[in-house]
DNA sequence: AGCGGGTGGGACTTTTTTGTTCCCAAAGGG
DNA sequence: CCCTTTGGGAACAAAAAAGTCCCACCCGCT
């Protein structure tokens, strides 16, 4: 399908997101009938895990459209119904189909939940805002009062913070940075984003001001400072962790890493970074940024870990991080998702 | 926009007609804000003739999308909002925009209601089915128990009858043919269609079996036959009249008109036919088929007259008939509608 | 300075929609 | 002849949407 169609669907999804669900639902019903015809209402409902009444409503609608035929043995697709179904199959792939992509990635990587938004952040910067919006929506659904939310820095997380600002959504949570400041620009530092999110949510926040790349000895000293330790404990207890994912190229330019340092990390096989860990394409941790904050052991305690990142270029990094952290929810975009699937299936 | 987009929208409208309304609504709101910003919630509601709460719901949705901005003076579109609005303007023209076409034709022809469905029956025969479905839906909304429904023949009306069959819609009405049999093929004769509709609705029907092209004297005799007269009285009392519209070319081929007869009618300036009346491009009746049934005077008594016809080729005929009968509801398709507007504006 | 008209936001009730869960008669299969 | 399935229908519960207020605020006008 053409570019215009892509654009059309993008706009449509922005302006009326509910249509995705409607069309996906009707397509699922049509397909289920196609594969099981003739099939009865109750049977269909239990197969699709939908209420009997929902089915009934949709059925009578589809029947009016002359897409299916009912007799005493059950429901059958009409010729027109079959035509529409096969057309929808292609159509669904464009947007509703993202949900089949989602399932695919869930299966491949054994993740609990994957959310894909259409487009590619690398190509269209607006998609990055959409990604932020998706993240914000996710938080809106999952956050409970009095919970602790840990966030990292990065441009994507900054989008999440901004999107939360546009929502009329308040929740009394405590927001903390997942790790100490990582020497980035202020507006995309974890501290800044944590404070911003807390303000938008009407919640509280605690910051962690720690210089980057300290000596191990200095870090140990800092970790035992009462003021710092208190915050580190809060971070370790976080109920939700939302983090971005970085490629190695990004790291070298954004952070104060020397060229030889980058080369060293690359030579170890690192392709991605998340929460201060460098990870190779197999999902093995090959290096750690010398900073303090959330640890890998803490992650396992946390109820929910959410990774947000998009763009085809980040696919390898995302894949690596998801291998390393299979309990995470992943929010990404179509560009990255398709590339991830390609990478997996290529092997 | 391309062909693919057209097709996409067509399918979408079939499978999920509600999206039209949703998108149209949101577009209307965005546009109203654009032209009146800054504007308040209540003001907006009264202008768009919508409930205050509806507006509030949509507003908070659009706000989350970052399409508009709220402050103490009212609501303003953001840059992104303006971009989306201008995109939607083009998009709406493709399907929701039909409703602006509808309004335009209402205004030009002073009709109470116009319904336009996308596509062109001449190009895509499926559109004719859609037209029938639209007619059926209209009847479903308007019919009341015990009413009398008069219908004519024709392929379009046949589609209406079929579409009614696919709906699970029952209504105890009496269906009658608007005029005596007009010598067409059985399956598109008024009598056949009346019976079919009545059966689908679970109602009653009366038929009118009268040969075509009788001498005036014979007609007068027939009209006073008790059995015939009874039915004619029912027809005259009809609450709803649904009729098709024919072009002269159709008439000559479909009906048993001789070639010189057709020439005679054309020489009088006739461009369309409805309910047995030949009408010229100004809307003047130039000839009448010698048959019995509904009369022009009866039309004025009837509460609702619905004309159903589509296809670019029929535009001139539709226009003529609408000039002649400005109290009618018109159900047509995009192809005809656009041509009608062109014809009007050309003059 | 006070007033009237506008703003958004919040809270409440009513209405409508949606979902759950039955029962029913009919028909095919064993 | 029973058992299972079918669609159709209806009663009822839950949830979402809509209608309607009121409130605090801010402006410009008198």
């Amino acid at each position: 399908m053409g570019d215009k169609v892509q654009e059309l669907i993008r706009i449509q999804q922005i302006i009326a997101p509910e249509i995705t669900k409607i069309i996906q639902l009707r397509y699922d019903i049509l397909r289920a009938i196609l594969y099981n015809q003739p099939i009865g209402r109750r049977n269909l409902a239990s197969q699709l895990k939908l209420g009997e009444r929902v089915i009934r409503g949709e059925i009578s609608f589809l029947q009016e459209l002359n897409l299916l035929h009912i007799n005493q043995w059950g429901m059958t697709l009409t010729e027109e119904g079959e035509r529409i179904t096969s057309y929808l199959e292609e159509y669904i792939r464009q947007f509703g189909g993202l949900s089949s992509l989602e399932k695919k990635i869930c299966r491949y990587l054994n993740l609990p939940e994957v959310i894909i938004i259409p487009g590619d952040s690398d190509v269209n910067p607006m998609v990055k805002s959409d990604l932020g919006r998706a993240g914000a929506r996710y938080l809106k659904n999952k956050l409970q009062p009095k919970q602790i939310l840990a966030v990292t820095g990065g441009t994507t997380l900054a989008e999440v913070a901004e999107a939360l600002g546009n929502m009329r959504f308040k929740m009394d949570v405590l927001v903390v940075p997942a790790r100490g400041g990582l020497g980035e620009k202020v507006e995309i530092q974890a501290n800044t984003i944590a404070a911003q999110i807390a303000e938008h949510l009407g919640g509280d926040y605690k910051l962690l001001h720690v210089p980057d790349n300290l000596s191990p000895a200095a870090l140990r000293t800092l970790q035992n400072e009462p003021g710092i330790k208190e915050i580190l404990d809060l971070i370790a207890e976080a109920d939700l962790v939302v983090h971005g994912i970085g490629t190695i190229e990004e790291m070298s330019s954004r952070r104060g890493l020397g060229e030889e340092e980058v080369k060293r990390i690359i030579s170890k096989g690192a392709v991605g970074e998340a929460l201060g860990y460098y990870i190779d394409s197999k999902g093995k941790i090959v290096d750690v940024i010398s900073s303090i904050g959330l640890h890998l052991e803490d992650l396992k305690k946390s109820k929910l870990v959410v990774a947000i990142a998009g763009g085809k270029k980040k696919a390898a990094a995302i894949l690596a991080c998801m291998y390393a952290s299979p309990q995470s929810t992943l929010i990404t975009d179509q560009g990255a998702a398709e590339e991830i699937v390609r990478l997996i299936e290529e092997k």
Side-chain angles (χ1 to χ4, degrees), chain A:
Chain A
M1 293 197 193
D3 225 22
K4 291 269 189 186
V5 175
Q6 279 271 357
E7 182 72 0
L8 174 69
I9 289 175
R10 219 189 80 77
I11 299 278
Q12 225 177 47
Q13 279 213 309
I14 291 178
I15 202 72
E18 47 268 65
I19 70 166
T20 308
K21 288 175 199 160
I22 298 177
I23 295 188
Q24 176 86 42
L25 172 66
R26 295 195 174 145
Y27 171 67
D28 285 344
I29 292 174
L30 285 173
R31 197 182 34 178
I33 295 173
L34 181 64
Y35 291 148
N36 300 289
Q37 56 189 328
I39 186 175
R41 202 204 312 142
R42 267 164 277 254
N43 234 327
L44 194 61
S46 76
Q47 181 170 334
L48 291 171
K49 285 167 192 162
L50 288 168
E52 183 189 325
R53 183 58 181 277
V54 182
I55 295 289
R56 196 186 294 203
E58 295 300 324
I59 287 302
S60 75
F61 173 82
L62 293 170
Q63 191 186 12
E64 280 193 11
L65 290 180
N66 202 18
L67 299 186
L68 54 83
H69 184 247
I70 299 182
N71 63 14
Q72 54 208 156
W73 297 277
M75 296 170 287
T76 321
L77 287 196
T78 61
E79 259 183 58
E80 195 173 348
E82 290 189 22
R83 273 217 348 276
I84 296 273
T85 307
S86 75
Y87 182 89
L88 278 182
E89 196 172 325
E90 177 155 352
Y91 176 78
I92 286 280
R93 199 172 313 158
Q94 291 289 315
F95 64 89
L98 294 182
S99 84
S100 80
L101 237 192
E102 286 169 0
K103 282 180 202 146
K104 209 173 199 173
I105 293 184
C106 275
R107 208 156 9 93
Y108 279 151
L109 296 175
N110 205 19
L111 302 176
E113 190 175 2
V114 173
I115 296 171
I116 300 173
I117 61 143
D120 186 330
S121 327
D122 287 344
V123 177
N124 187 346
M126 285 167 54
V127 175
K128 199 152 199 170
S129 304
D130 294 344
L131 207 55
R133 209 137 51 208
R137 213 176 309 135
Y138 186 83
L139 286 181
K140 184 177 175 182
N141 287 334
K142 297 290 180 178
L143 276 180
Q144 299 294 323
K146 299 290 170 198
Q147 285 192 328
I148 299 176
L149 170 64
V151 299
T152 66
T155 52
T156 312
L157 267 291
E159 292 284 354
V160 174
E162 197 192 324
L164 275 171
N166 289 325
M167 295 211 215
R168 177 200 320 295
F169 170 59
K170 302 290 169 192
M171 181 64 69
D172 181 24
V173 293
L174 175 64
V175 191
V176 294
R179 297 188 65 85
L182 294 175
E184 300 166 304
K185 276 184 279 177
V186 178
E187 64 268 28
I188 59 168
Q189 272 178 23
N191 276 326
T192 318
I193 288 170
Q196 213 177 328
I197 290 180
E199 260 176 45
H200 287 152
L201 292 178
D204 221 354
Y205 62 91
K206 302 274 182 195
L207 301 186
L208 190 60
H209 292 290
V210 181
D212 246 353
N213 293 323
L214 289 180
S215 69
L219 277 179
R220 265 195 301 280
T221 317
L222 263 180
Q223 276 175 18
N224 292 323
E225 281 291 308
I228 303 263
K229 189 168 188 319
E230 175 200 348
I231 297 174
L232 286 176
D233 288 343
L234 284 173
I235 293 175
E237 280 174 20
D239 301 287
L240 242 114
V241 179
V242 182
H243 68 89
I245 290 174
T247 60
I248 301 302
E249 298 83 56
E250 263 181 320
M251 294 299 106
S252 56
S253 62
R254 279 224 319 249
R255 296 189 180 164
L257 293 187
E259 212 171 289
E260 68 283 354
E261 179 79 356
V262 174
K263 275 190 186 154
R264 194 179 56 79
I265 295 170
I266 291 179
S267 72
K268 288 186 179 176
V271 296
E273 176 270 354
L275 289 165
Y277 294 93
Y278 288 101
I279 301 167
D280 72 8
S281 63
K282 304 247 166 55
K284 216 179 82 203
I285 293 169
V286 294
D287 205 344
V288 188
I289 291 175
S290 61
S291 175
I292 58 178
L294 203 69
H295 287 294
L296 214 58
E297 310 87 67
D298 299 328
L299 270 193
K300 281 157 192 161
K301 279 187 262 170
S302 301
K303 318 289 174 301
L304 252 100
V305 184
V306 185
I308 308 187
K312 192 172 173 183
K313 284 187 209 151
K314 278 199 180 175
I318 295 170
L319 184 54
C321 294
M322 289 301 102
Y323 275 139
S325 163
Q327 78 276 30
S328 298
T329 294
L330 172 63
I331 301 179
T332 187
D333 61 21
Q334 195 176 2
E338 283 169 353
E339 180 71 5
I340 288 171
V341 170
R342 207 184 59 75
L343 287 173
I344 296 174
E345 290 178 347
E346 190 177 78
K347 284 195 224 178

